[in-house]
Every structure is written in structure tokens, then in C-alpha cells.
């Protein structure tokens, strides 16, 4: 259970998991749990297959394949007919289905090979970043079904330079940049999301890649939905390092997305006992979300600034959710001290500082204690404005941003 996803724990029938637990060949390999016992290979429907696949081969062949997994590559090339054109949606066939039909597309063939290896007690996988088919025999070995070359591909390294900024100290893979290899004129995007999903973990120091031609794509999402993109072509040569710039384009005349929050985060509205999400409060579109500190001068100053341009906020017609760290702190706030505040404000309490911590983390703020914190975001959680602490003319600053949305 430790090597399958939370979704698999919800979706996969107990009988299927039990079958893999009981039918996996025991080995002393440290890779056993992740690459033999593990029922999932890629994005296929998880099914029991190990017992059925082993039954289709005699014991002598299985023992030979364990010693030399390349025999399974030869078997797949000889026995399986590859037909990609009849599966345009690339729906992965089950390993037992491939065995019965002996006809499949390339993706199903890749999954079948990994499943066959695991059924024989041979660690195998689709390499997480590149999707290459691999088995482990004294180290990870690439599988090349074409037979044009043998052995692992020659490799080099690439490193990207980046100058951290206050709003973007460490760009995230998939959100701000991605790498794709050019294979037969097509782009094969590498998957580096997750634990290695940031520049500092991925490209600050040399990253090992197969030799070949690649594209580094970066994107700055703007508030109107457009993206300022930059494409950098580079080549990885065997045994050499390539250094490239990581460039994030900017447009000072337009509003850009500077972070992401969860609009489904909940708080307790004033006068109520039950939680309510920010999105359920504001509805679709842009909104203002803030954490205030009652009886604190920076918060008092901010509220006076907002009251000065309340007519413009009213004309905008969007909601403003103003939260306080505790219910006691909220009760100390007196809106009558700030004449002219707009009617679209919803007051509430931040539950255990969850929203405060979310804002601090998402926007790379110094700490959670400096209040107030104001953001302008939209239905999808895209943040286009952030302010923390004492700020002169806060209301006017927000209206300048709002007028450009």
C-alpha cells in the first residue's frame, strides 16, 4: 500500500490487491516492493495478472528469463503484433488481454513487458521522468524494442541558471517550466513533478539526460489567461555538460499570476458555527481575501485606505473576505470605526491559521505574524496581487490592479 497512490487505495478492489500480494514471487531484492509487488505500471486499470502470465510460460523459460531478461524483449518482439492506428485514444490494454490477443499498441506493449518482468520476479518499470521501459539486472537497463541499438543510451548533463526573485525564488516544474525531448520530430515531455519538481532540485546542479535534442519551455501566466512563453533549444552530448538560461518573461504593463491558493479553503463566517469555503462565499470571478489583526495600526491603516476608495470597490461588485486569527480577535474589530466600508465584505475567523499559512506558503511571505495580508485571486486560485504589513495607499494599489483585470 505504500507504493500505490491514494486514488488506487480508493478505486482498486480488495481482491486485486490481494492477488498481487499472494501471487508475487518473493525475492530478496530491495526493489521488491516498488518494482515487483507493485500492481501499477503506468495509467492502466489495475488488474491481477501475475499468476496468469506465469502460467503461459514453462518453468525452464522463466528461469532463463530471470537470468537474462533480454529474452523477454525478444519474445515480445516475436510474439506481439504492434498496431497503433486502431487505438487513437491510447487506452492501455490489460497485460492478460495483450497475452490473449497478441496484438497491441506501443503503450500496452510497454506496460505488458513491465508486468511480465514483475510476474517473473524481475524488477521493472517505466522510468518516471522519461517513460523509458527498463528492467533491473545489476542496475537499470533500457529496453529498446526496435533492436536498432543495444544497451543504455549515452548520457550527458544539463544545468540551468536562474536569478531568484522575491515572488519567484524557486520556479516549479510543470507550473513555470518544462523539458521535452525531440524524438522523431515529436516532443516527449519529461515528467519531473513531485519531489524533484523545482529548479533548485532539478537544474541548479547538473541533471543527467540521454544525449539528444531538447526544448526548455517557460511560461508566465497573465491575469487575462494569456501566457508569456520562452523556448530554449539545447543539445545534450554524451559525457558533456550543457548550461542554459532559465528565462521567465515579464510584462510590467500587464497583470500576471504570481501564485496559487486553494479557493476551497474554509473559514467560519461571523455569527455562524459551521465552516464555509472562500469560493462558496465569493462566487465565480475575482475576489479579495485578507487576514487582519484587530486593534493593530497596520490593519487600521489598511482599512482606512480601503474605505477611501469604497465606491470603486462597490462598482467592481466583487466580494471581499476579511478574516481574523481568532474569534476573540475578530470580536475586537469594530467596522464602525472605518466609515464608508463597502457592503460586499464578509468577516470571519481563520480556523487554526490554515488560510494564513496557505497564503504565507503560496506567496513566499516572510512569516505569518505580520498583518494584514491581502491578496486578489480568482475562482481557480490564481493570485494577481499580494500585500503584507504596513502599506501606503493599499486601496489605490488594489484598484490599479483591479482596473487591469
Amino acid at each position: 500500500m505504500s507504493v500505490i497512490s491514494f486514488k488506487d487505495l480508493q478505486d482498486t478492489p480488495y481482491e486485486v490487491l490481494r492477488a498481487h500480494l499472494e501471487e508475487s514471487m518473493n525475492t530478496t531484492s530491495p526493489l521488491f516492493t516498488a518494482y515487483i509487488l507493485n500492481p501499477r505500471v503506468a495509467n492502466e486499470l489495475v488488474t491481477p495478472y501475475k499468476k496468469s502470465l506465469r502460467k503461459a510460460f514453462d518453468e525452464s523459460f522463466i528461469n532463463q528469463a530471470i537470468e537474462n531478461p533480454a529474452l523477454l524483449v525478444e519474445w515480445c518482439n516475436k510474439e506481439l503484433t504492434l498496431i497503433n492506428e486502431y487505438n487513437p485514444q491510447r487506452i492501455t490494454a490489460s497485460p492478460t488481454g495483450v497475452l490473449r490477443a497478441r496484438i497491441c499498441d506501443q503503450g500496452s506493449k510497454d506496460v505488458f513487458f513491465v508486468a511480465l518482468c514483475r510476474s517473473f520476479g524481475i524488477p521493472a518499470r517505466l522510468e518516471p521522468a522519461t517513460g523509458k521501459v527498463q528492467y533491473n539486472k545489476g542496475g537499470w537497463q533500457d529496453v529498446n524494442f526496435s533492436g536498432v541499438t543495444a544497451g543504455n543510451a549515452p548520457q550527458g548533463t544539463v544545468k540551468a541558471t536562474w536569478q531568484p526573485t522575491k515572488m519567484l525564488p524557486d520556479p516549479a516544474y510543470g507550473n513555470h517550466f518544462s523539458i521535452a525531448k525531440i524524438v522523431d520530430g515529436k516532443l516527449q515531455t519529461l515528467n519531473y513533478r513531485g519531489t524533484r519538481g523545482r529548479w533548485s532540485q532539478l537544474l541548479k546542479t547538473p541533471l543527467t539526460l540521454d544525449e539528444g535534442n531538447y526544448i526548455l519551455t517557460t511560461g508566465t501566466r497573465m491575469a487575462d489567461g494569456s501566457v508569456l512563453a520562452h523556448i530554449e533549444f539545447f543539445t545534450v552530448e554524451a559525457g558533456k555538460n550543457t548550461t542554459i538560461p532559465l528565462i521567465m518573461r515579464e510584462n510590467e504593463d500587464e497583470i500576471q499570476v504570481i501564485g496559487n491558493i486553494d479557493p476551497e479553503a474554509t473559514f467560519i463566517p461571523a455569527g455562524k458555527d459551521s465552516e464555509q469555503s472562500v469560493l462558496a462565499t465569493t462566487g465565480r470571478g475575482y475576489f479579495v481575501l485578507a487576514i487582519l489583526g484587530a486593534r493593530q495600526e497596520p490593519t487600521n491603516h489598511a482599512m482606512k485606505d480601503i474605505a477611501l476608495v469604497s465606491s470603486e470597490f462597490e462598482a467592481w461588485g466583487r466580494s471581499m473576505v476579511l478574516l481574523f486569527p481568532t474569534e476573540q480577535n475578530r470580536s475586537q474589530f469594530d467596522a464602525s470605526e472605518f466609515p464608508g466600508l463597502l457592503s460586499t465584505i464578509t468577516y470571519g475567523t481563520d480556523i487554526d491559521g490554515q488560510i494564513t499559512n496557505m497564503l504565507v506558503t503560496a506567496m513566499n511571505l516572510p512569516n505569518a505574524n505580520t498583518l494584514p495580508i491581502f491578496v486578489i485571486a480568482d475562482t481557480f486560485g490564481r493570485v494577481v496581487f499580494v500585500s503584507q504589513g504596513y502599506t501606503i495607499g493599499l486601496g489605490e494599489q488594489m484598484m490599479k490592479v483591479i482596473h487591469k483585470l
Side-chain angles (χ1 to χ4, degrees):
M1 292 183 178
S2 65
V3 293
I4 60 178
S5 69
F6 179 72
K7 189 176 187 302
D8 282 338
L9 292 175
Q10 293 178 303
D11 296 350
T12 307
Y14 155 78
E15 293 79 7
V16 173
L17 297 179
R18 179 169 180 171
H20 281 277
L21 184 64
E22 294 179 343
E23 296 171 10
S24 294
M25 294 179 65
N26 274 319
T27 75
T28 58
S29 170
L31 303 175
F32 172 76
T33 303
Y35 302 112
I36 296 177
L37 176 62
N38 189 350
R40 173 161 298 289
V41 177
N43 61 350
E44 78 283 5
L45 177 68
V46 176
T47 59
Y49 56 77
K50 291 187 171 84
K51 185 176 181 180
S52 298
L53 295 190
R54 281 203 303 273
K55 277 188 174 182
F57 298 87
D58 59 52
E59 188 174 346
S60 174
F61 179 82
I62 292 175
N63 290 332
Q64 292 178 55
I66 292 173
E67 292 301 316
N68 181 18
L71 292 176
L72 297 182
V73 180
E74 297 176 6
W75 187 94
C76 288
N77 283 336
K78 179 181 178 182
E79 298 293 334
L80 301 181
T81 300
L82 195 64
I83 302 180
N84 287 313
E85 57 267 32
Y86 296 125
N87 188 13
Q89 292 181 299
R90 297 293 181 261
I91 299 172
T92 306
S94 69
T96 52
V98 171
L99 181 66
R100 288 195 302 268
R102 304 294 173 97
I103 297 174
C104 60
D105 69 326
Q106 186 61 60
S108 298
K109 184 177 181 179
D110 293 347
V111 170
F112 173 80
F113 177 84
V114 174
L116 190 60
C117 285
R118 292 182 182 182
S119 299
F120 289 4
I122 303 168
R125 68 180 184 181
L126 298 186
E127 202 277 324
T130 63
K132 292 190 297 184
V133 183
Q134 296 180 324
Y135 63 83
N136 193 283
K137 188 70 175 178
W140 289 109
Q141 305 296 318
D142 295 346
V143 171
N144 189 341
F145 287 118
S146 69
V148 176
T149 58
N152 292 348
Q155 295 183 317
T157 59
V158 62
K159 176 181 178 181
T161 58
W162 166 252
Q163 186 62 45
T165 65
K166 180 180 179 181
M167 295 310 304
L168 190 57
D170 201 2
Y173 192 88
N175 291 337
H176 303 112
F177 70 97
S178 65
I179 301 172
K181 186 178 183 182
I182 303 174
V183 181
D184 298 328
K186 298 180 181 179
L187 296 181
Q188 182 185 82
T189 302
L190 309 185
N191 181 15
Y192 285 112
R193 292 177 180 269
T195 56
R196 299 186 66 196
R198 291 194 173 274
W199 164 79
S200 62
Q201 302 162 310
L202 198 63
L203 291 172
K204 186 176 182 180
T205 56
L207 170 69
T208 300
L209 294 174
D210 291 351
E211 68 175 0
N213 297 313
Y214 293 82
I215 291 178
L216 171 70
T217 303
T218 65
T220 302
R221 184 169 296 278
M222 309 303 286
D224 63 2
S226 62
V227 176
L228 300 180
H230 178 81
I231 295 176
E232 192 81 24
F233 291 84
F234 65 95
T235 300
V236 173
E237 299 181 58
K240 297 182 180 180
N241 180 68
T242 300
T243 300
I244 56 176
L246 182 63
I247 298 173
M248 300 293 298
R249 290 175 55 196
E250 295 185 357
N251 184 341
E252 296 182 356
D253 297 326
E254 299 295 335
I255 303 301
Q256 69 183 52
V257 177
I258 56 177
N260 291 275
I261 61 173
D262 179 12
E264 295 287 357
T266 59
F267 66 98
I268 298 179
K272 297 183 179 180
D273 296 325
S274 57
E275 298 178 19
Q276 185 171 303
S277 72
V278 173
L279 185 58
T281 305
T282 64
R284 298 287 176 177
Y286 282 96
F287 57 85
V288 175
L289 173 63
I291 308 296
L292 308 182
R295 303 296 177 182
Q296 296 179 11
E297 177 54 31
T299 290
N300 293 343
H301 186 83
M303 298 307 293
K304 291 175 182 177
D305 277 353
I306 290 173
L308 289 174
V309 291
S310 61
S311 60
E312 294 183 69
F313 276 110
E314 293 280 6
W316 183 42
R318 301 303 306 149
S319 296
M320 184 178 291
V321 178
L322 306 183
L323 307 180
F324 297 85
T326 65
E327 177 60 24
Q328 181 182 4
N329 189 256
R330 189 200 64 77
S331 66
Q332 294 173 349
F333 180 79
D334 186 357
S336 65
E337 296 178 2
F338 311 99
L341 283 178
L342 53 156
S343 60
T344 55
I345 293 178
T346 298
Y347 297 100
T349 303
D350 184 16
I351 307 168
D352 298 326
Q354 294 177 13
I355 293 181
T356 302
N357 292 330
M358 174 181 71
L359 296 180
V360 170
T361 301
M363 305 312 301
N364 299 302
L365 302 179
N367 59 70
N369 298 319
T370 303
L371 302 178
I373 300 173
F374 278 84
V375 300
I376 300 176
D378 69 1
T379 301
F380 304 102
R382 297 176 296 200
V383 179
V384 297
F385 173 87
V386 63
S387 173
Q388 182 178 30
Y390 185 86
T391 303
I392 298 175
L394 176 64
E396 292 183 354
Q397 290 180 38
M398 289 197 288
M399 288 313 307
K400 286 181 181 179
V401 171
I402 288 169
H403 288 320
K404 291 183 179 181
L405 295 176

